[in-house]
Amino acid sequence: MASILPASNRSMRPDKNTYESPGWTEIPQYRPGCPQIHRKRSVYVKNPYLEGMDEDILYHLDLGTKTHNLPAMFGDVKFVCVGGSPNRMKAFAQFMHKELRLEGDGEDIEDICAGTDRYCMFKTGPVLSVSHGMGIPSISIMLHELIKLLHHAHCCDVTIIRIGTSGGIGIAPGSVVITDTAVDSFFKPRFEQVILDNVVTRSTELDKELANDLFNCSREIPNVPTLIGHTMCTYDFYEGQGRLDGALCSFSREKKLDYLKRAYRAGVRNIEMESTVFAAMCGLCGLRAAVVCVTLLDRLESDQINLSHDVLVEYQQRPQLLISNFIKKQLGLCDQMS
Ligand SMILES: O=P(O)(O)O[C@@H]1C[C@H](O)[C@@H](CO)O1
Ligand SMILES: O=c1cc[nH]c(=O)[nH]1
C-alpha cells in the first residue's frame, strides 16, 4: 500500500513512482568451483537530492559524512535495536557485549551521540543500540538519520528491531508481543504521513518470517509468555489510548472498554506509540524489521502502571533476552555459548 490522499478532496492517488525499488541488489559471489548468486540486501534511501549533497549532517545524531568515517565506524553493523529510553538502550548494549563475549566488560561503552542529548547510540560488535524517545515524531526523526547513516556506511543485510514497552489488551502483564502488523487507532495497517499538504498512506506490514523466527526463539525462554499479534500505535499515551486517568478525558469507562474490546477482536494485543512509522519507514528502505514489546499492564483491567521498579526493570529485560538469543543464533554463536 502506498498512496497519496490530497488534503483538499482526499481522493486516492497511487504513489508508485516514488517507491518502486525491490530492496535487493544481486551480486555474484565467487567461491572456488561454485559460482553462484547471493542476494545482498542494501539499505536504501529514496531521495534524489541526497546524491548531489557535498556533505550530509545527521544533526540529531551529531554525526556527518565529512566529520566522521561512517563506513569505518558502522560498516559491519548487522543488527540495530531501538527503544524509547536511553538507559534501556545502554543496558542492552552492555548486555549484548557480554552475551557476544567481546573483549572487556562493556561497562565503559561510549555513547556515540554524546555531542547531542536528543538520542543516544552504542555499538558493540555488529550490534547498534539506539534510543528514539517517545512517539511517532521522535522516532521518525531518528529513523531518517539512522537509515541515512546505514546507507552512507554501505551496510547490508541489516535487521532492525524495536524493543519497547506497551499496554496489553486481554493478556497477562509481562507478556511479550511480537508484532505481525502494526495498525493505527482505527485498527488499519497503515501509517499516514502528512507531506506538504498531502496525506501519504504507507503500508505497515512487518517481516512475517522474522516475526516467526523470533517466536520460535522465544520458545526456548522459560517463564516468559510470548505471542504474535497486531500492535496498535497511537499518537498519545492518555486520550489516544483510551485512558481514564489523563488531565483530559471526555469519554465514559463503558466507551473505553468497548473500544479496547473492539481492538482485541480486530487482533490487537498491545498498544504503543511508534510501530506504524517504524514499520513503514524500515519497509520502504529495505530493512528487515520487527517490533517486540513487553506489556506493563492489561488495559482491560487498569490504566495506571503501578509496577515496582524491580518488576519494571525485569519486564523490560524480557524483549532484550529474546533479541540477544536471536542475534546469537543468527551469528551462529548459540551452541558454543549455552
Ligand atoms: O520504547 P518505549 O518503552 O518508550 O515505548 C512505549 C511507547 C512510548 O514511547 C512510551 C510510553 O510510555 O513507551
Ligand atoms: O500502556 C502503555 C504502556 C507503555 N507504553 C504505551 O504506549 N502504553
Side-chain angles (χ1 to χ4, degrees):
M1 184 199 307
S3 59
I4 294 179
L5 295 181
S8 48
N9 60 14
R10 298 185 76 81
S11 70
M12 289 282 229
R13 211 152 25 95
D15 188 22
K16 277 218 158 142
N17 295 336
T18 333
Y19 303 117
E20 224 160 41
S21 160
W24 296 97
T25 346
E26 296 213 332
I27 55 156
Q29 294 273 295
Y30 296 106
R31 289 195 210 122
C34 178
Q36 47 177 256
I37 299 291
H38 168 72
R39 280 184 144 183
K40 196 174 154 103
R41 192 168 180 153
S42 304
V43 181
Y44 287 94
V45 288
K46 300 196 168 161
N47 176 357
Y49 292 98
L50 279 182
E51 226 169 279
M53 281 165 53
D54 183 38
E55 178 178 15
D56 189 7
I57 297 168
L58 309 175
Y59 167 66
H60 301 89
L61 301 180
D62 194 36
L63 294 169
T65 51
K66 277 205 170 159
T67 47
H68 298 81
N69 184 345
L70 299 179
M73 288 173 75
F74 299 104
D76 63 340
V77 167
K78 294 293 174 204
F79 301 94
V80 180
C81 296
V82 304
S85 133
N87 282 338
R88 185 194 311 149
M89 298 325 288
K90 183 174 185 180
F92 177 69
Q94 289 170 334
F95 177 56
M96 278 314 307
H97 191 94
K98 291 192 180 88
E99 290 292 293
L100 296 178
R101 305 223 174 132
L102 297 171
E103 219 170 285
D105 61 9
E107 290 304 312
D108 53 354
I109 195 161
E110 283 193 7
D111 179 2
I112 298 168
C113 301
T116 166
D117 55 7
R118 296 294 187 180
Y119 304 106
C120 68
M121 179 186 286
F122 305 91
K123 183 174 180 300
T124 182
V127 180
L128 199 61
S129 181
V130 192
S131 73
H132 57 60
M134 285 195 287
I136 287 171
S138 184
I139 193 175
S140 155
I141 294 166
M142 189 282 283
L143 284 175
H144 274 281
E145 295 181 13
L146 173 69
I147 291 168
K148 290 197 294 173
L149 182 159
L150 297 172
H151 175 76
H152 292 314
H154 312 304
C155 294
C156 62
D157 297 327
V158 177
T159 298
I160 183 165
I161 304 173
R162 169 168 143 68
I163 45 178
T165 62
S166 61
I169 307 184
I171 56 177
S175 303
V176 171
V177 179
I178 301 167
T179 308
D180 54 4
T181 304
V183 299
D184 66 10
S185 301
F186 304 90
F187 323 138
K188 294 273 196 299
R190 65 183 178 195
F191 172 64
E192 294 187 326
Q193 173 73 55
V194 178
I195 302 178
L196 308 183
D197 55 354
N198 289 319
V199 179
V200 177
T201 304
R202 290 173 173 165
S203 164
T204 54
E205 291 290 325
L206 286 155
D207 190 310
K208 296 273 188 297
E209 195 182 316
L210 176 58
N212 282 326
D213 289 350
L214 288 166
F215 184 66
N216 288 334
C217 214
S218 76
R219 293 177 205 264
E220 290 160 28
I221 302 175
N223 306 323
V224 179
T226 305
L227 55 131
I228 294 187
H230 297 352
T231 295
M232 181 161 77
C233 177
T234 66
Y235 283 92
D236 169 51
F237 184 84
Y238 287 98
E239 291 174 287
Q241 295 186 6
R243 276 189 157 80
L244 302 171
D245 62 341
L248 302 172
C249 183
S250 55
F251 48 85
S252 65
R253 183 179 304 277
E254 290 67 36
K255 287 265 183 221
K256 164 202 156 173
L257 287 175
D258 171 66
Y259 178 65
L260 294 180
K261 284 177 183 169
R262 280 191 285 121
Y264 184 90
R265 287 198 294 276
V268 174
R269 293 294 175 271
N270 65 337
I271 314 175
E272 46 78 274
M273 296 175 59
E274 289 86 14
S275 57
T276 49
V277 70
F278 174 82
M281 289 183 70
C282 296
L284 286 170
C285 294
L287 289 161
R288 241 165 52 109
V291 177
V292 179
C293 291
V294 70
T295 60
L296 304 182
L297 74 172
D298 180 357
R299 290 299 318 290
L300 297 178
E301 301 294 331
S302 60
D303 291 338
Q304 297 244 305
I305 298 169
N306 55 11
L307 303 171
S308 70
H309 176 75
D310 289 354
V311 173
L312 199 54
V313 170
E314 195 274 312
Y315 279 5
Q316 290 194 47
Q317 283 165 351
R318 292 179 174 196
Q320 299 182 31
L321 183 60
L322 169 56
I323 300 314
S324 152
N325 284 3
F326 171 76
I327 291 175
K328 285 191 292 181
K329 267 210 161 84
Q330 293 283 300
L331 295 174
L333 297 175
C334 249
D335 294 341
Q336 291 123 285
M337 295 190 144
S338 51

